[in-house]
Amino acid sequence: MCRIAIEIPNEVLYDTRMNQQEANAFARKAVALCYYVQNGVSLGYCAQIAGMSKEAFIRYLGEHNVSIFHYDDENEFNEELANA
């Protein structure tokens, strides 16, 4: 497991009204979201990075308008929808 630390100015915590634990949770979720969207890291690993269950991370993705479904074209989507 790799541990990464970032420094956040106290003024940012004050402005956002976050304590250290809330800022840590926010950063973990933001990193997991970016890994999922930009790097194609699996849902399970991203949920682990975010410190959430898979179900909670899927809801978090939905809150940020990120779909867990990836289709190359509309026909592929419609075919899957018809088979559902």
Side-chain angles (χ1 to χ4, degrees):
M1 189 71 67
C2 173
R3 180 174 295 275
I4 298 173
I6 60 171
E7 293 183 13
I8 299 173
N10 289 330
E11 293 80 8
V12 172
L13 295 180
Y14 178 81
D15 289 345
T16 60
R17 293 181 169 82
M18 287 185 186
N19 62 37
Q20 190 173 5
Q21 291 79 19
E22 291 167 330
N24 182 45
F26 178 83
R28 289 179 65 164
K29 290 176 188 177
V31 167
L33 178 68
C34 286
Y35 270 134
Y36 185 79
V37 172
Q38 295 178 2
N39 299 100
V41 175
S42 76
L43 190 63
Y45 282 135
C46 289
Q48 184 178 358
I49 292 167
M52 306 169 86
S53 68
K54 284 184 187 179
E55 294 81 10
F57 188 66
I58 289 169
R59 283 192 299 276
Y60 179 75
L61 291 174
E63 291 167 4
H64 290 83
N65 299 315
V66 175
S67 176
I68 62 169
F69 302 105
H70 303 282
Y71 296 100
D72 293 330
D73 61 40
E74 187 177 341
N75 291 334
E76 183 180 0
F77 173 76
N78 288 330
E79 184 177 313
E80 285 294 321
L81 187 60
N83 292 330

